[in-house]
Amino acid sequence: MRYNFLAGLSLALMAVTGLANAQGQQQQQVDPNAPVSKYNYQEAFGPLFYTKNGNDFRAASGEPGARYWQNRADYQLTARLNDKSNEITGTEALTYTNNSPQKLGFLWMQLDQNLFKQDSRGSAIIPPSGSRNGGRGQVFDAGYKIKSVKVNGTDVKYMINDTRMQIFLTKEVAPNGGQVKVNIEYSFVEPDYGSDRTGILQTKNGKIFTVAQWYPRMCVYDDVMGWNTVPYTGPGEFYLEYGDFDVAITAPSNHIVLASGELQNPGEVYTAEQQKRWAQAAQSEKAVIIRSAAEVTNAASRPSGKSELTWRFKIKNARDVAWSSSAAFIVDAAKINLPSGKKCISVSAYPEESNGDAAWGRSTEYTKKAIEHYSNKWFEFPYPVASTVAGIVGGMEYPGIVFCGARAKGSGLWGVNDHEFGHTWFPMIVGSNERLYGWMDEGFNTFINTLSTDAFNNGEYKPTRPTDMHRAGDFYTRPTTEAILNTPAGIKERNNGTLLYSKPGAGLTLLREQILGPERFDFAFRTYVERWAFKHPTPDDFFRTMENVSGESLQWFWRGWFTNNWRLDVGVRDVKYVSGDASQGAMITLDNLEKMAMPVILEIKQKGGKTERIKLPVEIWERNNTWTFRYPSTSEIESVTYDPDKVLPDFNESNNVWKK
């Protein structure tokens, strides 16, 4: 049928004009007393949240594209510890694989120890009040001493700028699998306190060295930013390539060393009796003492005949390695049960001051239970050993090993063990960019910690009262607070705990419990972990995956909770009866007064004693600031309460209850 364009256009204009007039009249009639609202449904539910379409590298569905690539860094590392001078001398043999489509004429590496130099950029930005991201004012011979840099066996030019080193290549690294070999000789002095990530704890039986950021590490080259060369100034954490590590650590013979990965030479570094205990621990559900408190000062608890011992460790498909060394260690261990049946063991090392059933005597149990929970719920723990070390560091995570405060005990020790090993999943398995998107590791980890804590020993450390999201929502959305997606660099340090940890964690709880439901959320979240295991996702990859797998458009939620610092304030304005008769039903009017949209939960009490909960979908706010709906009342309504259990982040309770 031929269409008369002009006639159709005329009819369409008449229809649109009439509809607009009718809607305007209806709005005038229905909402003459509506309070002033900041809510803009076009802003909350508008299109074009995603500014880029999917491509061959990152699909629109949120999964890696058919041509997704990432580079690889394999390391052979040696270190020698001088426990008198605190100096560490090391060598690095790096094999770097360029899987990108571009040729690379230079390389960038991270020199994180340079943060602790007095003239570093990180030191310059520490306020007089102090910061956890610096060296606490210590003055020592800090930073890397680079002795040599060779590429494919030849000395090359390099330039050090603060916490970065640029290596100039005489021949470009070919794309799509080209390789280059880099050898570096270096040394540095370990700081007493290193930005709450590395350092030395003094104990009565000797120093505990917790050593991290201890070798020049490759910067990531990716399809999002190219070279990720943000200088390490403290507030952000790390973004690293994956690879295999072969590590040899030489320490005084009275020391015990723990490191990322599996020990390759136990017969050289443990006594025959201790090796028997290790075998028992590998089969035990409860902690087996490898080296007791009484044995710490007994020379017979260490192999004799040498002044130094070399400990050899290997770990595969990891983004980093860390280690710890001390003569003061008590050590215990127990097996971890993984879903596939693979071998894994939980190990704890701590000084006599931390010993006790109410303290570090339960550390191995805590780590074991946390890893078993996460492995069954999200993705299997990928490493053969999980070591938890007591030291000066309050809490810091590395593949297969974490450092936790030596004074922690009880629920505090459970919390830090659980949190630091929760980081195995974010960002050790799901390798997001912590320096740009700290909420994608800290916030996601904070969220999964809530579920593991609920599960641990049937809730031994579960909070006695549920979170009051009205109070939390008021705190999270204070007008003076930045948005989560401002990233660490654009966030005041005092707001890091809120915007990188608790607010994104609470957001995922909202999404799971109030918007998607546990079944849909868990499937989507597990799919995200599986898709991006040992890869580098961006926020869009997460947002798209959650939407595509759950089958739900969530752009209104991302806008309100992550992209902006919007507030939620829904009020119950009025109740009117149909034809003035409560038995024929009631018309209940709600107002959305702030910028955020959320589903609605109402508790309605009738005069006859009937109480009912109803839920309204978030789509009531898709085209409206005010919403009136019919409730099938049979008698007069005594009260209507919005969000009676305080599970939504409504910051203003003064308008949440309507009473007769």
Side-chain angles (χ1 to χ4, degrees), residues 242-480:
Y242 289 94
D244 296 341
F245 291 80
D246 187 335
V247 181
I249 299 164
T250 301
S253 59
N254 65 334
H255 280 218
I256 286 178
V257 175
L258 290 90
S260 300
E262 188 169 25
L263 181 65
Q264 303 297 298
N265 60 333
E268 297 177 14
V269 294
Y270 283 110
T271 66
E273 177 60 30
Q274 288 166 351
Q275 292 176 66
K276 290 179 183 178
R277 295 173 186 175
W278 276 114
Q280 293 170 4
Q283 304 300 320
S284 175
E285 295 291 339
K286 295 187 179 298
V288 173
I289 299 295
I290 308 300
R291 189 198 198 199
S292 69
E295 292 172 317
V296 167
T297 55
N298 185 348
S301 71
R302 303 298 306 120
S304 60
K306 294 183 179 180
S307 61
E308 291 182 323
L309 292 173
T310 297
W311 302 67
R312 303 184 185 280
F313 298 87
K314 286 186 178 181
I315 188 169
K316 292 184 177 296
N317 206 20
R319 66 201 288 276
D320 199 5
V321 290
W323 53 279
S324 183
S325 181
S326 181
F329 280 150
I330 299 167
V331 181
D332 64 46
K335 76 170 180 176
I336 296 173
N337 301 301
L338 296 179
S340 69
K342 287 182 179 179
K343 174 186 174 184
C344 187
I345 193 166
S346 170
V347 183
S348 294
Y350 47 94
E352 187 176 340
E353 293 92 323
S354 302
N355 196 14
D357 291 339
W360 276 78
R362 293 191 70 184
S363 171
T364 289
E365 173 200 358
Y366 293 157
T367 297
K368 166 184 165 66
K369 293 289 183 67
I371 288 177
E372 288 175 350
H373 170 85
Y374 297 132
S375 295
N376 281 286
K377 190 160 186 65
W378 306 120
F379 191 95
E380 185 167 283
F381 185 75
Y383 307 120
V385 181
S387 297
T388 313
V389 179
I392 196 170
V393 177
M396 191 61 200
E397 72 280 359
Y398 302 96
I401 190 170
V402 303
F403 305 151
C404 301
R407 295 182 179 180
K409 59 183 178 181
S411 62
L413 183 57
W414 157 259
V416 70
N417 279 22
D418 179 47
H419 180 80
E420 301 312 331
F421 266 111
H423 275 303
T424 298
W425 284 263
F426 309 99
M428 305 303 165
I429 293 173
V430 181
S432 55
N433 186 341
E434 296 176 272
R435 290 192 174 177
L436 291 183
Y437 313 115
W439 59 273
M440 291 183 72
D441 75 291
E442 297 295 358
F444 290 13
N445 187 24
T446 298
F447 161 70
I448 65 173
N449 297 160
T450 63
L451 301 180
S452 61
T453 299
D454 284 352
F456 176 68
N457 287 356
N458 297 315
E460 179 179 348
Y461 294 130
K462 183 179 180 178
T464 55
R465 291 184 296 178
T467 300
D468 180 344
M469 279 300 293
H470 290 182
R471 292 182 63 187
D474 185 22
F475 176 75
Y476 290 148
T477 61
R478 301 185 314 276
T480 56

Side-chain angles (χ1 to χ4, degrees), residues 201-208 326-329 350-353 390 406:
L201 178 69
Q202 303 284 344
T203 77
K204 67 180 182 180
N205 292 319
K207 301 174 183 176
I208 294 178
S326 181
F329 280 150
Y350 47 94
E352 187 176 340
E353 293 92 323

